[in-house]
Amino acid sequence: MSEIEANLLAFLTKVQFFSEVSASSLANLNKNVTVETYYKNDAIINKGDVGDAMYAILDGVVKVHDKQHDFGQLTQGECFGEYALIDDETRSASVTAIKETKVAKIDREHFLNLMKTDKGFTQGVLSVMIKRHRELDSTQEQLSSSRKQLQQANDKMKGLINGAMDAIIMFNSKFKIILTNPSADILLENNDSLQRNVLFFFDDTSADLIESLINSGLESEDKTINNYLPSIVKVIGSNEKETLNEGTISKYGEGEETFYTLILRNIDERLAAQDTISLLTNQKEYLADEIKELTSSYGIIAKDERMSSVLNLVKQVATTDATVLINGETGTGKELVARAIHQASSRNDKPLIRINCGAIPANLIESELFGHEKGAFTGATVSRKGRFLLADKGTIFLDEIGEMPLDLQPKLLRIIQEGEFDPVGSSETIKVDVRIIAATHRDLASFSKEGKFREDLFYRLNVFPIMVPALRDRGEDIHLIAQEIINQFSTKLNKKINPLAEGDKALLSRYQWPGNVRELQNIIERAVIIAQDGNISWEVLIPKSSEAEPIQTNSKAEKIYSAEEMIMLERENILRALKKTSWKISGKNGAAAILQLKPTTLTSKIKALNIKRPI
C-alpha cells in the first residue's frame, strides 16, 4: 500500500459515516476512492444534477446552498451527497468550494458492490444509519418538548415589542395596520388603529416616500426591503399633533402574505438643539472649504537635512500650546506643516480651522474671524459664528498673516493675550481656548519696522518660528516628491508612467522652482496627461529660462562701497546663509560650507559682527 493510500485509509477511519466499518472493509473501499481538488468558487455539486457519488472532505471548506441562500458550511472530515449512494435522484442543493478543497470521492457503483460482497462493510454502514435514525427520533422528541419554550419565547417577544420606547407599526401589502405597540398608539394618538390605512397618519410627502419605498421593493429582484428611511417623516396623530421622526422599514413574506414593519423614533427634542447643530454644520462647511496644500495628499517627504530639522521642530512644539509662526516661500507646504503640528498635538480630536488672510476682502475678514450679529452691517441678515469660535478647543491656522489689515491686528493681539474677543455688532465678550498657528511668505520683522505690521503682534506670533525651506534647497527631496506626485497622478489618470531616470532627476534639480512644490505638481499633472507610452519629455516641460539665470547688470554694479558698508554687506550675507541653513554652522550643507569658510572662521565673524540667533 502506497503512502497516499495509507493516508487516505487513515482519514476514512475518522469519517463519521464509516465510523462503524472495520479496518479491513475500509481497506476494500479505499481501493477505488479517488481524490479530487477544487479551487475557490468551483462547483462540486449542482442542484438538479443526478447524483452518483458521495464526498468526504480531506482538506478545505465548502458551502451548501440553493442559489443565494446558504444552508451552512462543511469542513475536514465531514461528508455530503450520501443519498447518491443508494438512489439516483437529483441533488437537492448545490455544494461549492469556499477555498482550495480536496475531497475523497466514493462512487455509488463501488459502494453498492461492497454492500453486496463485504458483510462487515454492510454491517458497519447499517450501524451508522440506525444510529442516525435514533438521533432523528431524539430530535423529534426535543422538538415536541420545545413547543412550550417557543410559546414562552413568543410571549417574551411580545413583551419586548410592547416595552419598546420606539413606535413599532406593522401593516400588510394593502397598507392596513395589523399591529402596533403602546409607543405607536401614543405617537398616532389612537388606541384603535388596527385595519386603518397607515398612510393616513403621515403628511403627503412622507406618505409618498413610504409608498414609493414599498413599491420599489415589490418590483426589485430580491423583493426585500430593509432600509433606514432616507429622510425624516412627519406623523400626524388623530388629534392633529405633528411630530418629526426618523426610522427604518423592513419586509418579510411574499405576495399577498407580505408584511412591513415601521420603527419610528421621535426626534423633536434633538431638533430643538438647532443652535448646536448649526454650529457643527458651519464647522463642517469651513473644513470642506479649506484649500488643499499641494502636498496634502502625499505626506511630508523629508530625506533632506533641512526638512528633517523642520519635522524635529514640529515634534518639539506640537505637544505644547505655543504660538507658531511658519515662514517660507509660496508653495513650500506651510499648511502641511501646520496640519502636522495639529495632528501631533493633544488637540487633534478637535477641529483645525483655516483662514487665508490674503484671500478675504478687508471689509469681511473681521466678520469671518470673529463672527457678527444680525444687522451688524448691510447684508448681515442672520447672526454668524466666526472661525475663532468654531476653532474653540482646537487650532486655527492663519495663512498669509502678513496680509491682515492693520486695524484688525489689535483684535488678534487681544485673543493671543487674553483669549477673548467681541463679535462684530455685539457687546458680548466671548472666551475661547484656541491654539494659533500663523504662516507667511513675508519678512514680518521688516514689515513691522516699516509700519506695515504691528511690532507687538509680530513678537507675539514669533514665539516659535519655523522656516520651511524652498524646494530648490531640498536636494534629493525634489526627486522623491516628484516621483510620489507622478505615482498619484498616474493612478488618478489611469496611465502607467516610467520611473524618473537619472537624466530626468538632473533636469529637475537644475531648475530653480520659483513656485516650489505647487509649481512642481502643476508641471507633473500636465506631464502625465500628455505622456506617450509612459515617457515624459521633461526638457520640453521645464521652463528653459531656469537653466541659466541671466546676470543682472545695473548701475549698482558700479557703486563703490565704504568700509562700513562692506561690513554691513558681509553681516547680511552671513545672516542669509544662517537663515538658509536654519543656523547650522558646520558640516555638510552648513553655513560655513555655503560661504566656503572654515567653521572656526565663521564662528569668529559671527561674534565680531554681533550676529545673534533670534529666539
Side-chain angles (χ1 to χ4, degrees):
M1 182 184 296
S2 68
E3 183 179 352
I4 296 177
E5 290 176 332
N7 291 336
L8 184 58
L9 179 60
F11 172 81
L12 290 174
T13 61
K14 299 176 183 178
V15 175
Q16 187 178 7
F17 190 80
F18 301 113
S19 60
E20 301 294 329
V21 178
S22 65
S24 59
S25 296
L26 278 180
N28 291 331
L29 174 68
N30 191 42
K31 294 176 182 178
N32 288 284
V33 173
T34 58
V35 176
E36 297 182 352
T37 300
Y38 295 87
Y39 296 95
K40 184 177 180 180
N41 296 328
D42 282 351
I44 303 174
I45 289 177
N46 289 311
K47 180 181 178 181
D49 291 348
V50 176
D52 61 355
M54 74 166 281
Y55 299 82
I57 301 174
L58 295 168
D59 185 41
V61 183
V62 302
K63 67 175 179 180
V64 183
H65 62 98
D66 184 2
K67 295 181 179 178
Q68 301 300 319
H69 181 73
D70 287 349
F71 295 109
Q73 297 182 0
L74 301 175
T75 57
Q76 186 182 46
E78 297 186 284
C79 302
F80 56 91
E82 298 99 321
Y83 289 119
L85 298 176
I86 57 177
D87 63 40
D88 57 356
E89 298 294 327
T90 58
R91 305 286 192 182
S92 60
S94 298
V95 179
T96 301
I98 293 178
K99 63 179 184 178
E100 183 177 341
T101 301
K102 290 183 178 181
V103 296
K105 182 179 179 181
I106 303 164
D107 291 315
R108 180 172 63 212
E109 182 179 353
H110 179 51
F111 178 87
L112 293 177
N113 184 53
L114 284 176
M115 291 288 286
K116 292 176 183 178
T117 59
D118 189 330
K119 183 178 179 181
F121 183 82
T122 304
Q123 289 177 340
V125 171
L126 288 176
S127 295
V128 172
M129 298 300 289
I130 290 170
K131 186 182 291 184
R132 285 191 175 185
H133 184 72
R134 287 173 177 169
E135 288 173 354
L136 287 173
D137 287 344
S138 176
T139 302
Q140 290 282 1
E141 291 176 2
Q142 292 175 5
L143 288 173
S144 177
S145 64
S146 65
R147 288 177 182 174
K148 184 177 180 180
Q149 295 177 2
L150 288 173
Q151 183 61 46
Q152 291 175 344
N154 185 51
D155 293 340
K156 290 178 181 178
M157 183 62 69
K158 286 183 178 179
L160 182 64
I161 292 173
N162 290 336
M165 296 182 67
D166 291 340
I168 301 175
I169 305 170
M170 295 180 64
F171 56 95
N172 60 22
S173 57
K174 296 180 181 179
F175 297 97
K176 300 295 184 181
I177 297 174
I178 59 172
L179 182 147
T180 59
N181 69 341
S183 295
D185 294 340
I186 294 172
L187 182 68
L188 302 179
E189 296 183 309
N190 195 312
N191 294 323
D192 188 23
S193 60
L194 300 185
Q195 295 305 312
R196 294 191 63 182
N197 191 315
V198 68
L199 301 180
F200 290 167
F201 291 95
F202 295 90
D203 70 346
D204 291 342
T205 302
S206 301
D208 290 343
L209 171 64
I210 293 171
E211 189 172 16
S212 66
L213 284 172
I214 290 173
N215 289 338
S216 64
L218 291 171
E219 295 168 1
S220 66
E221 292 182 3
D222 57 5
K223 296 185 178 180
T224 59
I225 295 179
N226 188 9
N227 288 317
Y228 284 101
L229 294 176
S231 59
I232 295 171
V233 295
K234 181 184 287 187
V235 173
I236 304 175
S238 295
N239 296 327
E240 303 298 326
K241 180 181 178 181
E242 297 182 358
T243 56
L244 295 176
N245 298 264
E246 63 182 8
T248 62
I249 185 167
S250 57
K251 165 191 171 184
Y252 67 94
E254 197 169 332
E256 293 185 357
E257 295 299 318
T258 303
F259 302 94
Y260 303 90
T261 302
L262 264 176
I263 301 178
L264 300 175
R265 175 171 295 179
N266 189 326
I267 59 170
D268 283 342
E269 291 184 3
R270 187 193 309 170
L271 295 177
Q274 190 61 51
D275 187 55
T276 303
I277 293 174
S278 175
L279 175 61
L280 294 174
T281 301
N282 288 337
Q283 189 178 92
K284 179 182 177 182
E285 290 174 356
Y286 280 130
L287 294 173
D289 289 340
E290 289 184 3
I291 300 173
K292 292 182 179 178
E293 283 291 342
L294 183 60
T295 55
S296 62
S297 299
Y298 314 111
I300 297 177
I301 295 175
K303 297 293 183 182
D304 182 76
E305 189 175 348
R306 293 182 182 86
M307 200 62 192
S308 296
S309 66
V310 169
L311 290 186
N312 288 333
L313 291 174
V314 167
K315 292 177 183 177
Q316 292 172 23
V317 77
T319 55
T320 73
D321 280 336
T323 302
V324 180
L325 180 60
I326 305 171
N327 297 277
E329 297 179 8
T330 301
T332 53
K334 295 187 290 295
E335 181 177 353
L336 192 60
V337 174
R339 288 180 182 276
I341 294 171
H342 176 72
Q343 288 302 318
S345 73
S346 59
R347 298 172 180 260
N348 56 15
D349 59 336
K350 296 298 187 292
L352 168 65
I353 302 296
R354 178 190 187 278
I355 184 167
N356 188 327
C357 301
I360 301 175
N363 61 330
L364 294 179
I365 190 169
E366 182 177 9
S367 172
E368 284 291 328
L369 285 172
F370 309 115
H372 63 254
E373 293 299 315
K374 180 179 179 180
F377 52 85
T378 303
T381 56
V382 294
S383 298
R384 182 172 185 176
K385 301 183 186 301
R387 301 200 189 188
F388 266 100
L389 185 56
L390 294 176
D392 191 25
K393 303 297 188 297
T395 306
I396 192 164
F397 176 49
L398 302 173
D399 200 5
E400 297 302 341
I401 188 67
E403 315 308 314
M404 177 174 283
L406 271 171
D407 58 351
L408 191 57
Q409 292 178 22
K411 252 194 168 181
L412 178 58
L413 186 62
R414 180 187 175 196
I415 286 189
I416 297 174
Q417 292 176 332
E418 303 173 21
E420 62 184 30
F421 65 91
D422 299 332
V424 179
S426 172
S427 58
E428 177 188 5
T429 297
I430 296 178
K431 283 272 190 182
V432 288
D433 173 18
V434 177
R435 201 258 181 87
I436 296 175
I437 302 175
T440 182
H441 71 282
R442 305 281 191 187
D443 183 351
L444 291 188
S446 299
F447 257 40
S448 62
K449 291 176 181 178
E450 296 170 6
K452 298 178 181 178
F453 197 86
R454 287 184 63 102
E455 191 172 14
D456 50 358
L457 178 58
F458 166 65
Y459 288 120
R460 282 289 183 177
L461 292 172
N462 200 41
V463 173
F464 195 93
I466 295 178
M467 173 63 72
V468 182
L471 182 60
R472 59 184 171 274
D473 297 327
R474 291 178 59 181
E476 189 182 351
D477 281 2
I478 297 175
H479 316 144
L480 299 175
I481 294 171
Q483 188 61 64
E484 180 65 20
I485 299 176
I486 289 171
N487 295 341
Q488 292 287 338
F489 279 119
S490 175
T491 302
K492 180 180 178 181
L493 300 175
N494 196 24
K495 292 185 71 174
K496 185 176 180 180
I497 304 296
N498 296 328
L500 290 170
E502 290 304 316
D504 300 332
K505 293 178 181 179
L507 284 171
L508 291 171
S509 295
R510 192 178 305 138
Y511 183 50
Q512 292 298 300
W513 300 107
N516 291 293
V517 187
R518 184 178 292 116
E519 182 184 11
L520 177 63
Q521 185 198 35
N522 293 337
I523 287 180
I524 290 177
E525 182 174 13
R526 181 181 172 216
V528 174
I529 291 172
I530 65 176
Q532 298 293 328
D533 300 322
N535 296 316
I536 295 175
S537 300
W538 294 104
E539 64 275 3
V540 176
L541 293 167
I542 297 177
K544 297 290 190 300
S545 60
S546 66
E547 296 181 6
E549 295 185 357
I551 300 174
Q552 296 181 358
T553 59
N554 50 44
S555 59
K556 289 185 179 180
E558 301 176 359
K559 179 179 178 180
I560 299 174
Y561 295 94
S562 66
E564 185 177 351
E565 287 174 328
M566 288 297 294
I567 292 172
M568 291 304 298
L569 284 172
E570 184 179 21
R571 188 177 191 277
E572 290 174 3
N573 192 49
I574 291 174
L575 272 172
R576 282 196 294 270
L578 289 170
K579 288 179 181 179
K580 187 174 183 179
T581 60
S582 299
W583 290 81
K584 179 183 177 183
I585 295 175
S586 59
K588 184 181 178 181
N589 299 324
I594 294 176
L595 296 168
Q596 297 183 359
L597 295 172
K598 292 181 179 180
T600 53
T601 303
L602 178 57
T603 302
S604 298
K605 286 180 176 288
I606 290 173
K607 291 180 179 179
L609 296 171
N610 195 27
I611 296 174
K612 295 182 180 179
R613 183 173 182 172
I615 298 175

